[in-house]
Amino acid sequence: MKAALAHLAIILAAMSFSDLPSGLSLLLGFVVGAIVLTLLPRASGSLRYGVRLWRIGKLILVFLKEFTLSVWRVARLVTSPRMQFRPGLLTVPLTLTRDAEITLLANLITLTPGTLTVDVAEDRSYLLVHAVDAPDPDATRDDIVNGFQRLIKEAFEP
């Protein structure tokens, strides 16, 4: 948390003292902050700040890719003449332990077209997910576990 606040302070300082347009000064502040906090581990409180930023960026890129592919799949399903949906309710086992991580996973699933997080088990051992088209429920479950869940765990676990 200290690292994120320090990074935000560097971004705000770059935007305040720069004559560049706001978008460029924001980008400059982000890059300079990431470099400084990666090279000065005591300032960020962690040796892994740069690695964490990279992993968060990777998670965002994978989400954007999955979002785009899902939009295409759902559009193809809806516009096909036969509309052969194979909906399913899946239980996705959770290896994440913190509420914020579970919430992020549930939201990424819900934001992806064609899937919806229905519920989280009381003991936080699984998510109940509805998929519009799940011809192979095990493959869909594995995609979530080995995709979003793994990337969230890599990015946010201490």
Side-chain angles (χ1 to χ4, degrees):
M1 183 56 121
K2 284 192 258 180
L5 290 175
H7 200 169
L8 182 61
I10 292 170
I11 291 170
L12 292 174
M15 291 181 74
S16 299
F17 299 117
S18 174
D19 288 336
L20 298 170
S22 61
L24 287 175
S25 63
L26 176 75
L27 181 63
L28 175 70
F30 180 82
V31 170
V32 168
I35 291 170
V36 166
L37 292 172
T38 300
L39 295 178
L40 300 173
R42 288 189 184 176
S44 66
S46 170
L47 292 172
R48 303 174 28 137
Y49 189 74
V51 172
R52 186 173 300 245
L53 277 180
W54 172 255
R55 289 178 177 169
I56 291 170
K58 184 178 171 185
L59 174 64
I60 291 168
L61 290 175
V62 168
F63 170 72
L64 292 174
K65 180 192 92 165
E66 290 297 325
F67 180 81
T68 304
L69 291 173
S70 294
V71 166
W72 174 252
R73 281 186 217 118
V74 170
R76 199 176 67 216
L77 277 171
V78 171
T79 58
S80 69
R82 294 189 179 186
M83 289 186 31
Q84 294 179 341
F85 294 90
R86 291 159 292 213
L89 276 175
L90 316 166
T91 55
V92 177
L94 287 173
T95 57
L96 304 171
T97 55
R98 295 188 298 190
D99 288 340
E101 294 170 348
I102 294 170
T103 302
L104 178 60
L105 176 62
N107 286 335
L108 290 177
I109 291 168
T110 299
L111 286 170
T112 306
T115 55
L116 175 71
T117 303
V118 178
D119 197 14
V120 179
E122 293 260 343
D123 62 355
R124 296 194 255 161
S125 61
Y126 67 88
L127 289 177
L128 186 60
V129 176
H130 177 269
V132 170
D133 189 38
D136 184 359
D138 290 331
T140 304
R141 183 179 302 110
D142 290 344
D143 286 346
I144 293 170
V145 169
N146 297 321
F148 291 148
Q149 187 167 210
R150 180 183 57 82
L151 292 172
I152 290 170
K153 192 171 196 139
E154 286 176 4
F156 295 106
E157 287 220 339

